Amino acid sequence: MSGGLVARMRDALAPSRTLDADSLLRRVESLRRFLRAVDGLLPQERLAGAHTVVERADARLALSREHTVVALAGSTGSGKSSLFNALAGFVLSPVGMRRPTTGAAHACVWGSLEGANALLDWVGVLPRHRFVRESPLDGDDQSSLRGLVLLDLPDFDSVRRAHATEVDRLLGLVDLIVWVVDPQKYADRTVHETYLRKLRTHAGVTVVVLNQADRLTADEQGAVVTDLRRLLVEDGLPDVPVVATSALHAPALTPLRGLLERTVAERQAALLRLSADVDATADRLGELVGPAVAEDVVDRAAVASLVDAFAVMAGVPAVVEATERAYRHRAIGMTGWPLLRGLRRLRPDPLRRLHLDLPSAGPSDGLLDGLTDPGPDDTAITRPLPATSVPDPDAAQRAAVKLAVRQVADRAAAALPEPWRPGVVDAARSRLDDVPDALDTAVAGTDLGMRTPFWWRLTAFTQWLVTLAAGIGLGWLITGYAIRALGLPALDYPDVGVTPLPTVLFLGGLLAGALLALLARPVIAIAARRARNRADRRLRAEVTTVARRQVVSPVREVLQSYARAREAMALARSDHA
Ligand SMILES: Nc1nc2c(ncn2[C@@H]2O[C@H](COP(=O)(O)OP(=O)(O)OP(=O)(O)O)[C@@H](O)[C@H]2O)c(=O)[nH]1
Ligand SMILES: [Mg+2]
């Protein structure tokens, strides 16, 4: 091998920057946070690979970082076991005529086996296939490889299916992969299409070895290496080192040995491999996050139509209608002509008919307490919030709610990458079953603002006064008639103008009462409309709270998860390390 090739190889293998374990740990942690944020929101099958990477990184980083696990991989007969034995200096893994020969991974550890045992347990090499390559006799000779854990793998293109499965498993765990190809099969499609192309993200921990170079003349070797490089460029691996070796001639092992010594000494391969895993995962998951999405992407218009649909479902129109009628009913019941008020009381209160209990009357002014008719409002009592008897929502109302919910979900989902959309729709619907009850409770608990205003009391008091005047007038007149009928001396009524006072009191009282009731009507109508609007406002505020709690909040939670996932993903990428 020429000095130029060695130099090129060294350059290619030199890590572009030194990775430190802490930054890698932080990136793995970010990936873990990403997975937590998207848990239950994105399809599990898209996340399985990322979970594996996180678990694998945890496990590898917890194990020996003093060791570098290097796998010799390749097709059957390429000379993996021969190279393994040649590097070890002993026949540890059988080389046979029958293909495939190696059925289970063999490991050779440079250094003490104790330190590497936990690592080999994790990698899954059987104890009987583990060997130690450092004896006191040639310790110095081998010390430059101390820390190397070399694996001889079965063939990946085996007639035995289990071999490929085992190879795939091991390739997912090792720190550096050395692909061993031979002059006959170096262009074989399987190795390029099934493996090398997929390793383009792992170029930093991939090496290609052209073994059995002793079978080629120098010119042939140059031509094969050139062709192999061309294929690797097509695979997307233009910079991976390509080394020619021969397992049968010790000097031809020098470049590969040098490369392994350097890799072992740098102790970067494990970090580089895991870093490449995290990068590849972040790239693959990249499509799951897109641009930032504001949490208030669920705009007012969508929430407003949701509140409308909820209000109809909750029976708000019926309740505000009843509020207006109840206001009139109660106002007339209190301010009307006292002798006719009783009749009105026989009619049911429109709000009570809906089982809408009202809070007790507002703070009393004390002035007229006990003098005036308490009115129906004062009988309100405090009791646990009952369910209203507002009719249950019908199919059309339910359909309108579903549509409005869908709109809210669609607005939010439109801003998110496609895989998040089903999660948003599910979240928007997640609490829908509780909505009818929540609305009923909200309506029942709404203070509709029905109070007994002072002017009702004042009017009622005035009504009593004029009625009293009419009563006195009537009594006086009746007494006058009775006295006259008994032949006693007639009463001398005082006159008001030309009309006797009792007549003025009686007729005037009646007239004033009727007039007062009549004048109160338009005032009551205006006040009733105001009461209706106030009730509508308050009910809608309560319904809005329900809509936010039952629909908008779950959607917002998804948006928050998205923001967390996005942030975690940005930190998981190596450019943030
Ligand atoms: N000429 C020559 N022959 C080699 C070289 N390396 C291996 N061989 C021969 O190639 C054959 C296969 O070698 P192995 O080392 O068993 O190949 P392997 O890749 O381990 O094969 P499997 O275990 O079946 O996957 C053996 O007959 C070796 O002697 C080499 O560098 N030069
Ligand atoms: Mg073998």
Side-chain angles (χ1 to χ4, degrees):
M1 168 159 301
S2 70
L5 179 58
V6 173
R8 204 163 67 224
M9 194 182 77
R10 196 175 296 139
D11 289 347
L13 251 198
S16 52
R17 62 198 159 84
T18 310
L19 281 177
D20 75 289
D22 288 342
S23 77
L24 178 63
L25 276 170
R26 277 198 298 277
R27 293 175 57 217
V28 172
E29 185 52 37
S30 299
L31 203 54
R32 199 193 324 276
R33 277 198 291 120
F34 171 87
L35 291 171
R36 265 204 300 270
V38 304
D39 190 36
L41 293 171
L42 296 180
Q44 273 308 311
E45 62 271 16
R46 297 186 79 151
L47 307 172
H51 280 289
T52 308
V53 164
V54 169
E55 282 162 25
R56 200 191 280 160
D58 281 346
R60 180 64 188 92
L61 290 171
L63 289 163
S64 167
R65 290 196 212 155
E66 302 301 310
H67 290 90
T68 305
V69 186
V70 177
L72 297 172
S75 59
T76 185
S78 60
K80 300 180 293 296
S81 303
S82 304
L83 275 180
F84 179 81
N85 293 335
L87 287 164
F90 291 100
V91 178
L92 304 176
S93 181
V95 172
M97 295 304 287
R98 201 165 48 87
R99 301 262 72 85
T101 304
T102 311
H106 287 58
C108 183
V109 178
W110 273 257
S112 93
L113 188 57
E114 265 92 85
N117 264 336
L119 192 56
L120 287 170
D121 287 345
W122 177 66
V123 169
V125 176
L126 293 173
R128 68 171 184 275
H129 291 153
R130 299 175 190 177
F131 305 96
V132 188
R133 180 64 189 90
E134 199 175 13
S135 67
L137 286 176
D138 56 7
D140 281 343
D141 189 28
Q142 300 291 331
S143 62
S144 51
L145 284 177
R146 186 187 285 260
L148 173 65
V149 178
L150 190 65
L151 301 185
D152 175 25
L153 265 49
D155 52 326
F156 64 74
D157 56 351
S158 191
V159 286
R160 306 222 174 127
R161 269 203 114 98
H163 287 198
T165 312
E166 177 67 349
V167 169
D168 289 349
R169 188 185 71 77
L170 288 162
L171 291 183
L173 303 177
V174 300
D175 303 331
L176 180 81
I177 306 172
V178 175
W179 289 96
V180 182
V181 297
D182 62 55
Q184 279 80 46
K185 294 209 280 182
Y186 73 89
D188 198 69
R189 273 179 49 196
T190 320
V191 67
H192 290 278
E193 287 179 10
T194 314
Y195 291 96
L196 289 167
R197 262 175 218 184
K198 291 181 185 152
L199 281 174
R200 55 179 68 191
T201 49
H202 288 62
V205 289
T206 302
V207 172
V208 178
V209 164
L210 175 67
N211 192 36
Q212 305 185 19
D214 57 286
R215 294 181 161 196
L216 304 170
T217 64
D219 287 351
E220 286 170 338
Q221 188 184 318
V224 170
V225 169
T226 307
D227 197 35
L228 180 53
R229 280 194 188 287
R230 180 186 60 79
L231 291 170
L232 289 170
V233 170
E234 282 177 15
D235 292 337
L237 294 167
D239 297 325
V240 297
V242 178
V243 184
T245 57
S246 169
L248 304 186
H249 299 93
L253 283 177
T254 310
L256 176 60
R257 206 186 163 87
L259 186 152
L260 292 177
E261 284 172 1
R262 192 178 154 80
T263 307
V264 168
E266 282 170 352
R267 297 211 179 98
Q268 282 277 295
L271 301 181
L272 278 171
R273 197 260 142 80
L274 296 174
S275 176
D277 283 350
V278 175
D279 275 343
T281 308
D283 272 356
R284 220 179 30 252
L285 297 182
E287 65 192 39
L288 298 177
V289 291
V293 174
E295 229 189 90
D296 54 4
V297 66
V298 185
D299 56 56
R300 281 168 188 278
V303 177
S305 37
L306 179 67
V307 170
D308 284 345
F310 269 23
V312 172
M313 192 192 219
V316 169
V319 176
V320 294
E321 179 66 34
T323 306
E324 184 176 357
R325 282 192 287 113
Y327 189 97
R328 276 206 308 272
H329 175 80
R330 294 175 193 183
I332 294 170
M334 201 158 166
T335 63
W337 199 49
L339 299 182
L340 290 179
R341 266 187 227 163
L343 287 176
R344 176 156 285 271
R345 299 257 179 76
L346 296 176
R347 282 159 57 179
D349 182 290
L351 273 178
R352 295 290 158 81
R353 263 216 306 244
L354 294 176
H355 285 189
L356 284 168
D357 256 342
L358 301 171
S360 56
S364 164
D365 51 53
L367 188 68
L368 299 164
D369 280 356
L371 281 174
T372 55
D373 180 359
D377 202 53
D378 285 8
T379 60
I381 48 166
T382 318
R383 53 175 151 156
L385 291 180
T388 71
S389 62
V390 173
D392 283 341
D394 61 26
Q397 289 168 354
R398 283 178 189 276
V401 163
K402 273 191 187 152
L403 191 71
V405 168
R406 181 76 208 204
Q407 260 172 13
V408 168
D410 286 350
R411 296 272 183 152
L416 294 173
E418 203 283 323
W420 289 80
R421 294 181 188 167
V424 176
V425 174
D426 287 351
R429 291 181 182 150
S430 61
R431 299 181 196 164
L432 267 192
D433 285 349
D434 302 335
V435 165
D437 280 351
L439 286 174
D440 204 38
T441 310
V443 168
T446 304
D447 172 10
L448 296 172
M450 294 289 271
R451 303 280 186 273
T452 305
F454 178 68
W455 70 269
W456 288 10
R457 297 178 192 273
L458 196 66
T459 313
F461 180 61
T462 315
Q463 281 287 18
W464 274 112
L465 282 184
V466 295
T467 308
L468 192 68
I472 290 170
L474 183 63
W476 205 344
L477 286 174
I478 291 173
T479 314
Y481 278 120
I483 286 174
R484 225 175 314 150
L486 292 172
L488 295 171
L491 284 179
D492 193 13
Y493 297 130
D495 288 336
V496 179
V498 291
T499 323
L501 181 60
T503 314
V504 170
L505 281 175
F506 175 56
L507 291 178
L510 286 184
L511 205 69
L515 211 64
L516 195 59
L518 214 65
L519 286 175
R521 285 298 174 100
V523 181
I524 290 171
I526 291 167
R529 181 139 290 267
R530 283 183 53 197
R532 174 199 184 102
N533 292 341
R534 185 170 54 229
D536 191 47
R537 261 196 324 276
R538 292 184 179 188
L539 285 165
R540 271 176 186 278
E542 293 295 328
V543 168
T544 304
T545 307
V546 174
R548 291 202 175 279
R549 194 178 60 226
Q550 306 292 113
V551 179
V552 181
S553 275
V555 169
R556 278 190 159 222
E557 278 164 26
V558 178
L559 294 173
Q560 284 160 5
S561 296
Y562 174 75
R564 278 200 300 277
R566 213 180 146 267
E567 190 193 349
M569 183 50 73
L571 292 173
R573 290 178 195 280
S574 58
D575 33 323
H576 283 83

